[in-house]
Amino acid sequence: MRLVLLGPPGAGKGTQARMLETRLRVPQVASGDLLRSAVRDKSALGLEAKGFMDKGALVPDELVLKLVDARLQQPDAMDGFILDGYPRTVPQAETLAKMLDARGDQLDRVVAISVPDDEIIKRISGRRTCHNCGAMFHMIYDPPRNMNVCNSCNGELYQRDDDAEDTVRMRLQVYAASTRPLLEHYARLGLLAPIDGIGRTEEIEGRILSAIGRGTNAAPAKGKI
């Protein structure tokens, strides 16, 4: 099974990708993780990517594709994968298709998790992080016992800059502008499977499994948003 998992920030695609990884026995391949790992390992591609990242510039598509291509050629990805966070644009999708076609592969499905903006903003802007130990909380879904104090170490909790409501709204605007054409592209190819992203994680997982024809393989995993 070769899947692409799309969704705005805060839609839960990372959680679903990890659950699908266990279900389908194919690896989650997250472009952001690949970049961070390459930079940390100081590989040739990582050092090249770091040059752009240090300047605050976007890493070029060709470089990201090289990282993705190298990861998909590893033995555990030969029989399938779940791409998380890539592609993000139509040109990236077209280049990915050419890369897979050269290897005799093609995507089976593109799953797009949809969550209303107001819900996304509530999910992300409610996050709080401990200054001291890095523990994560959510003021609605997983609040600390004492306001703005970490349960584990009593450190002060803070809101990351990219979790602030204004920043989240801007991120959603960027996502909508770049991804809407991508959704239309995959819909024209007959690959798109829109999924309602509201509900418990096992409910959303069940919708995805049904959309990719794996709905009766096993009982849904337990969990919540």
Side-chain angles (χ1 to χ4, degrees):
M1 182 64 71
R2 294 168 176 82
L3 301 177
V4 167
L5 197 58
L6 300 177
K13 58 184 180 296
T15 297
Q16 291 300 325
R18 288 187 292 274
M19 294 168 73
L20 289 169
E21 183 177 44
T22 300
R23 291 285 192 189
L24 304 176
R25 296 183 176 87
V26 297
Q28 173 197 13
V29 178
S31 57
D33 290 345
L34 292 180
L35 278 169
R36 286 185 287 273
S37 178
V39 170
R40 184 175 61 249
D41 295 343
K42 297 182 179 180
S43 69
L45 290 176
L47 292 174
E48 189 177 349
K50 188 174 185 297
F52 291 97
M53 296 163 71
D54 287 347
K55 298 173 186 175
L58 291 175
V59 178
D61 287 357
E62 317 86 73
L63 183 51
V64 177
L65 184 69
K66 287 180 183 178
L67 287 168
V68 171
D69 187 20
R71 178 64 184 89
L72 296 187
Q73 291 191 52
Q74 293 181 19
D76 65 333
M78 297 306 290
D79 292 328
F81 50 79
I82 303 158
L83 276 176
D84 173 8
Y86 188 90
R88 294 174 183 257
T89 65
V90 172
Q92 288 180 353
E94 292 173 339
T95 306
L96 173 66
K98 291 177 182 176
M99 181 194 80
L100 293 175
D101 186 61
R103 291 163 31 185
D105 290 334
Q106 60 182 3
L107 293 176
D108 294 302
R109 211 77 169 124
V110 175
V111 174
I113 302 176
S114 176
V115 179
D117 285 0
D118 287 347
E119 174 64 20
I120 292 290
I121 291 167
K122 184 167 67 174
R123 290 182 186 182
I124 297 180
S125 64
R127 294 173 181 168
R128 297 294 185 274
T129 304
C130 176
H131 264 298
N132 188 42
C133 71
M136 299 286 294
F137 298 87
H138 195 284
M139 303 310 290
I140 298 174
Y141 303 122
D142 183 26
R145 287 190 294 269
N146 298 309
M147 182 66 71
N148 295 324
V149 176
C150 176
N151 292 349
S152 301
C153 70
N154 292 322
E156 180 185 3
L157 302 184
Y158 74 102
Q159 183 184 57
R160 299 188 318 180
D161 290 343
D162 58 350
D163 289 344
E165 182 173 335
D166 288 348
T167 304
V168 176
R169 290 187 184 278
M170 180 62 68
R171 290 168 65 192
L172 289 172
Q173 289 175 10
V174 171
Y175 174 82
S178 63
T179 308
R180 186 176 294 112
L182 184 61
L183 297 178
E184 294 170 351
H185 170 76
Y186 281 128
R188 285 193 299 270
L189 295 176
L191 292 173
L192 189 67
I195 300 294
D196 180 3
I198 296 293
R200 293 175 61 84
T201 53
E202 72 271 16
E203 294 172 340
I204 300 165
E205 182 196 27
R207 294 169 196 156
I208 294 173
L209 291 172
S210 294
I212 64 175
R214 299 294 180 92
T216 59
N217 270 15
K222 301 298 181 183
K224 64 181 180 179
I225 292 176

